[in-house]
Amino acid sequence: QVQLVESGGGLVQAGGSLRLSCAASGRTFSSYAMGWFRQAPDKEREFVAARSWSGHYTYNPYYADSVKGRFTISSDNAKNTVYLQMNSLKPEDTAVYYCAVGSKPLYGSMLAHKGAYDYWGQGTQVTVSS
């Protein structure tokens, strides 16, 4: 079992920045992925960004087109923590953001599917005002 602890959500004005954190604990996997999804009211949960590892090898991060160039996913492997740096925020970015962990050997666009992940955080609200 894996537990995820998220932090960093809040209210920010358009054009501002916010940094989300997701710390994972519990069982370990030889290959795993950590990603971010978001869900706005009455909308489907959509992929934001993710990265994956196989042993000591780190795959290139993968981003949704809507956030590429504005958001950056990074990690502190010693702390089992993944971050999502969100810059140039837009009102359209307003949503509940969820951290997710998967144990499947996936990379690239395969990380954009919800089925790639086995564990989910509780979500943290990000609100961007006009």
Side-chain angles (χ1 to χ4, degrees):
Q1 191 65 261
V2 174
Q3 295 79 46
L4 304 175
V5 180
E6 302 173 341
S7 61
L11 174 65
V12 65
Q13 289 186 306
S17 299
L18 209 59
R19 187 172 196 168
L20 306 182
S21 299
C22 175
S25 62
R27 64 173 295 180
T28 60
F29 308 100
S30 57
S31 300
Y32 64 99
M34 296 189 73
W36 292 94
F37 287 73
R38 66 187 183 186
Q39 187 168 22
D42 299 320
K43 294 186 179 297
E44 294 293 318
R45 190 170 300 186
E46 67 174 359
F47 172 76
V48 177
R51 66 187 307 172
S52 58
W53 297 261
S54 179
H56 292 104
Y57 183 82
T58 302
Y59 291 97
N60 291 332
Y62 186 74
Y63 299 93
D65 289 341
S66 59
V67 306
K68 189 174 180 62
R70 298 188 297 121
F71 291 9
T72 302
I73 185 170
S74 62
S75 65
D76 184 338
N77 292 349
K79 298 180 179 179
N80 293 317
T81 300
V82 168
Y83 306 94
L84 184 67
Q85 179 67 47
M86 304 183 293
N87 298 327
S88 302
L89 283 163
K90 307 174 181 179
E92 306 93 274
D93 296 317
T94 295
V96 176
Y97 282 69
Y98 297 90
C99 177
V101 169
S103 60
K104 302 179 180 65
L106 304 177
Y107 57 91
S109 61
M110 294 183 289
L111 297 169
H113 303 286
K114 291 182 290 186
Y117 304 90
D118 306 298
Y119 307 96
W120 297 82
Q122 291 297 111
T124 183
Q125 178 70 47
V126 172
T127 302
V128 184
S129 62
S130 301

